[in-house]
Amino acid sequence: MPDVERFDLVVLGAGPAGEKGAALGAYFGRRVALVERRGSPGGASVHTGTLPSKTLREAALYLTGFRRRELYGMTLRLDRKRSLRQLLGRLADVTARQTRQIDRNLERHRIEVVTGQARFLDAGTVAVHDAKGGEIRRLSAGAFLIATGSSPLPPRGLTFDDPDVEDSDRILDLDRIPRSLAVVGGGVIGCEYACIFAALGTHVTLIEGRDRLLGFLDAELSAALEVSLRRMGAEVILGDAVEHLARVPGLSEDALRVKLKSGREVVAGKVLFSAGRRGNTEGLGLEAAGVAFDEKGRIPVDATFLTNVPGIYAAGDIVGFPALAATSMEQGRTAAKNALGLAGPDDRKLPFPYGVYTIPEISMIGSTEEELREKGTPYEVGRARYENNARGQINGDVDGFVKLLFDPDTKRLLGAHLLGTNATELVHVPQMVLVHGGGLADFLDAVFNVPTLSECFKYAAYDGLQRLSHRGRGVPVEVAAPLAAGQVLAPGARAWFAGVDLIDLSAPSPRPVDVAFMDRWRRVRFEKWNFAQDGAGLLPEGILADGVVVAIDGPQGLASPGRKVREGERELRCAGKTPDTLPAPGAGPYAGFLRGSVLLFSALRARGLGVFGEVPENQAVLLEVYPADLWKKWAGRALPKKQTPEGRRERWELLRGQGLELPLDAAGITHDQLDAAAAALAAYLWATGRTNAWGEAPRWDEAAGTLREGFVVSL
């Protein structure tokens, strides 16, 4: 039996938590031993997790020209066999470099590195065994840090026997870039790999049992990520789970069949299970030391990362959420400081940033909106979108945004949420503000380089102050005063953007019309309006006075190319037609819609509201839009029918991804309200110069008293 060697601190596991904890103890002159069962340090972070997946992401973006596709119209053909060699070669290079760097760090700190499997003999001693099970060393210490990490959790009732069924560790041992991939689990790992393979041109189906992806994120970021995945061609299935997995014999491609509990079947060439991880506690002898752990191998700890046994600490993935490399490193340092008595009474508990390397990147720090609402904490929001930022426009990333949450009274920062290019880098700006108890003034007083995405913080702070000064009013400063008689604001300066979802008057009992009123901060409220052919009651006087752009769901005039409604519109252009002789409800295709649209446009025009295409653009108030076209443009594909729960949810996610604050959730909103909100957003986009127009200029038929034809606003 080997002699017992005495150390101040013995660390089990050389991943991020173990390495940094050991280095901190050695830095302060303590004698430290580090036991690692692998032949090289780094843990899952270096060998199978954080760094390999991020390397694969960057290589995929580069090899496919992903960032240049839409910006410059470039298309690159991916050679799957050759690209696979390039991807794996890059992974091996980064892994080797990181391993050497960690080795040098351990040598520099004079840490005793012991290769083998550690096992507690009691609360003060561990034995180290070699690969054959023989005991090679015995170590004792005043303090222990368990940082052995985690491994993929096998799905219940399913096995990984099939070579094309992967977990998050084995997925990197690629034999090919699959043509199709089913990813089971919408957590960090699942979402990251779904994005990577979608960028590589693989058809990805992401299956998540909960009602949204990445449930710990602010819901607005989750919605935006889901929209992005769908735009990349991925299919996202929520609220469903895998029941059975089988292979079809004889098929070389797409041979796997994934049957879901809903009865649906997904076809895939490979399946990646990323539905959870378990702590690496097996073989550690925790029972002998008296250390408690749960059924998933996670070790409960207190705020100092102390386990239930004095002198034994744990950090990193083995303690559970958030299980990110950055948080694990700091947990390891904190645990080591407490274990060695180095933590002073004034040591502050600092908030951790979260970084998710999806496409686009996501990062956050502090509280989410949902957390603040649940606690009853007052807050206000400030946003800045990349589409309004010079660097965002140069980069072509117009979907990104910065979102700040702050205390309405003190302006102190409560949280920051970012999506888009460099989000995981930019989050450190609000991190410094949050750590030092700062607020909006810190962003407003800062001078940022131009053009940079960092400028978004200043404008998000301005946006928050402006929203705060007009809370509940939705009226920006520049239009807060009543307008002089006859004065018309330029569209972009108006306070309100309204969307009207027209009804079919041919219905036996026409329902009230849904109208969405959106302010310049994209806050939406819904109203009901009983259709009146003179337009009475549609637009409150206060909204008219503040300035408004109204987008009415057609068809009033010429439709976008290819729509069946053209057949019905021809009836409206016949000579001699008057409002009284318009097609009767049910008399022709879309007749009820046509009648209501023409009557409403004519009535509102008669009341002095200018129609786009008939009056100078800066005087236009009325637009015609087709929500069906808008949805397809925003999604980049045809959506499920809007009458279905899935269709409503996807439309709701699209609007949330565009930054709209909706008063109803995806389950409570109707498809009419969604169409009205889409029309209101189209009105805003038109007012700020981000739409196109199709069709012919409107023409007023004096004899018929009817407005004929007209431009359709589209994206």
Side-chain angles (χ1 to χ4, degrees), residues 581-650:
T581 59
L582 285 171
Y590 303 92
F593 288 104
L594 289 165
R595 183 180 183 88
S597 178
V598 171
L599 291 173
L600 185 57
F601 267 91
S602 298
L604 294 176
R605 177 192 181 277
R607 294 176 60 187
L609 302 183
V611 180
F612 172 51
E614 189 186 28
V615 298
E617 191 164 320
N618 64 350
Q619 297 178 22
V621 176
L622 303 176
L623 314 172
E624 182 178 5
V625 300
Y626 282 89
D629 297 331
L630 300 175
W631 294 124
K632 190 171 183 180
K633 287 290 183 72
W634 280 322
R637 61 189 175 84
L639 293 173
K641 289 185 177 180
K642 62 183 182 181
Q643 293 85 356
T644 65
E646 183 183 3
R648 289 195 299 273
R649 188 184 183 285
E650 287 198 30

Side-chain angles (χ1 to χ4, degrees), residues 234-429:
E235 186 175 2
V236 180
I237 300 174
L238 300 174
D240 212 341
V242 175
E243 189 174 69
H244 181 68
L245 178 64
R247 173 178 284 275
V248 178
L251 290 183
S252 59
E253 290 286 349
D254 299 337
L256 296 178
R257 298 293 182 268
V258 183
K259 186 177 180 182
L260 306 182
K261 287 186 177 178
S262 63
R264 183 172 177 178
E265 188 174 80
V266 174
V267 176
K270 280 186 178 288
V271 176
L272 166 62
F273 279 95
S274 60
R277 296 177 72 86
R278 66 168 9 141
N280 293 330
T281 55
E282 188 175 351
L284 288 181
L286 296 183
E287 299 86 350
V291 176
F293 58 95
D294 66 16
E295 70 282 357
K296 289 188 177 180
R298 295 171 300 201
I299 299 177
V301 293
D302 65 13
T304 68
F305 297 96
L306 175 66
T307 69
N308 64 305
V309 177
I312 300 181
Y313 292 74
D317 284 15
I318 203 162
V319 305
F321 182 84
L324 300 173
T327 54
S328 295
M329 290 177 181
E330 201 58 33
Q331 288 173 356
R333 294 185 183 105
T334 302
K337 284 201 292 185
N338 284 287
L340 298 171
L342 300 171
D346 296 325
D347 277 4
R348 288 189 291 171
K349 297 177 180 63
L350 305 179
F352 291 140
Y354 299 146
V356 185
Y357 292 82
T358 46
I359 303 171
E361 287 181 22
I362 290 174
S363 200
M364 62 166 281
I365 190 165
S367 299
T368 66
E369 277 200 74
E370 292 71 33
E371 289 169 346
L372 293 174
R373 281 200 296 267
E374 189 175 333
K375 295 175 183 175
T377 303
Y379 71 94
E380 185 54 272
V381 183
R383 289 186 184 83
R385 301 186 68 84
Y386 284 15
E387 65 187 353
N388 299 320
N389 173 273
R391 188 62 175 268
Q393 293 163 357
I394 293 169
N395 293 347
D397 182 359
V398 295
D399 293 325
F401 61 86
V402 167
K403 175 179 178 180
L404 304 178
L405 305 176
F406 63 94
D407 185 293
D409 295 324
T410 65
K411 316 296 187 300
R412 183 174 60 87
L413 187 65
L414 301 174
H417 306 272
L418 300 88
L419 177 139
T421 303
N422 294 340
T424 55
E425 300 281 354
L426 293 169
V427 74
H428 302 118
V429 175

